[in-house]
Amino acid sequence: MRTPIIAGNWKMNNTIAATKALVTELIPLVKDAKAEVVICTPYTDLATAVELTKGTNIKVGAENVHWAEKGAFTGEISADMLVELGVTYVIIGHSERRQYFGETDQTVNARVKAALAKGLKPIICVGETLEEREGGKVEEVLVRQTTEAFKDIAKEDLENIVVAYEPVWAIGTGKTATAEVANDTIKIIRDTIGKLYCPKCAEEKVRIQYGGSMNPKNVKELMAMPEIDGGLIGGASLKAPDFSLVVNY
Ligand code: PGA
């Protein structure tokens, strides 16, 4: 019912030259994928990635977008700029941005609105820290992050939104949430969206990915879970053979 979506999050990796090599190697490896395939790249690689993937099944995403339409925001990038480049998706609220760059639930919501207004599809990241999980706060944190991210977002926009559940303790650490834990936690997110809109909307329209050390070895088990609609892949998206194994799980 919900088309699976596997997205690479390159983070601050790959020059234009490296992008050319990686994307060229990736294209034939993922051409028969059942899942929707996305690569989210640094801003400087977007034009190259879009050009190389024209006419293929790979879509390109950015890793952030500013909430203002334009103006005095030195160093920032607007939704219009991304749309003009041919970008389809944009990651918003990644835990690294929350941790290192002052991202809050409110700025996440502002960015989501700005993206949707210009026809970009947000991949909204939510997830608890280890401390929050150990303190029994998983539900509280995810309900808050989800509710704030979707504030004032119209029901009609739901089908253009992807959520990525990324437990902070599993990102880049080699520690994956067990498939059961990931599934149960994603259920909390889906139920929250169901309460905000309607259960059927959450069930049918919103795809929720798992992210955090997802790789060729654990992808099958994670993707077999009913609530998990895809993955947001960091480390394993930087090598074409690994990423293609995840995409073709
Ligand atoms: P990882 O990163 O796959 O390297 O854990 C995932 C992410 O941060 O999106």
Side-chain angles (χ1 to χ4, degrees), residues 41 56 70 90 128 136 147 154 167 180:
T41 82
T56 76
K70 59 180 172 181
V90 58
E128 81 286 357
T147 305
E180 286 73 24

Side-chain angles (χ1 to χ4, degrees), residues 9-232:
N9 172 14
W10 288 7
K11 310 193 179 186
M12 197 173 73
N13 293 291
N14 293 328
T15 60
I16 290 177
T19 300
K20 281 185 187 155
L22 176 50
V23 175
T24 306
E25 190 184 353
L26 189 63
I27 289 170
L29 298 178
V30 300
K31 67 176 181 11
D32 299 319
K34 290 187 296 293
E36 195 177 342
V37 185
V38 183
I39 49 173
C40 299
T41 82
Y43 292 130
T44 46
D45 298 330
L46 290 170
T48 306
V50 168
E51 191 55 37
L52 288 170
T53 54
K54 270 197 186 127
T56 76
N57 61 331
I58 302 175
K59 295 187 184 109
V60 175
E63 299 176 13
N64 193 17
V65 62
H66 199 262
W67 56 81
E69 219 175 323
K70 59 180 172 181
F73 298 100
T74 303
E76 293 298 315
I77 298 286
S78 75
D80 276 335
M81 294 169 186
L82 298 176
V83 169
E84 189 183 46
L85 281 179
V87 167
T88 309
Y89 284 92
V90 58
I91 297 172
I92 295 176
H94 191 278
S95 63
E96 285 149 19
R97 298 224 54 95
R98 293 180 192 254
Q99 189 179 349
Y100 305 128
F101 301 101
E103 190 83 73
T104 65
D105 291 334
Q106 286 67 41
T107 56
V108 167
N109 177 243
R111 291 182 208 277
V112 171
K113 285 188 207 156
L116 288 169
K118 301 295 179 175
L120 290 170
K121 299 179 181 201
I123 299 174
I124 304 172
C125 301
V126 295
E128 81 286 357
T129 61
L130 186 60
E131 202 182 6
E132 287 161 345
R133 178 160 286 272
E134 286 174 345
K137 293 204 160 66
V138 174
E139 180 157 359
E140 179 190 322
V141 168
L142 289 170
V143 168
R144 189 201 75 228
Q145 290 180 344
T146 307
T147 305
E148 291 296 325
F150 280 82
K151 199 164 169 218
D152 302 325
I153 303 299
K155 196 194 265 184
E156 293 67 42
D157 277 324
L158 288 183
E159 61 194 20
N160 296 318
I161 298 176
V162 175
V163 177
Y165 165 58
E166 298 206 310
V168 178
W169 46 271
I171 294 176
T173 56
K175 281 187 205 152
T176 328
T178 64
E180 286 73 24
V181 166
N183 191 70
D184 293 350
T185 317
I186 288 178
K187 182 86 172 64
I188 297 173
I189 299 168
R190 200 179 300 286
D191 287 347
T192 306
I193 299 169
K195 277 183 200 136
L196 292 170
Y197 297 89
C198 70
K200 196 161 171 268
C201 316
E203 187 64 35
E204 292 178 359
K205 303 213 186 293
V206 185
R207 290 178 292 174
I208 309 183
Q209 302 171 313
Y210 168 76
S213 300
M214 196 159 169
N215 60 44
K217 289 205 182 80
N218 57 32
V219 62
K220 255 199 175 52
E221 195 189 350
L222 288 159
M223 289 304 291
M225 302 309 285
E227 294 293 338
I228 303 181
D229 302 324
L232 185 56

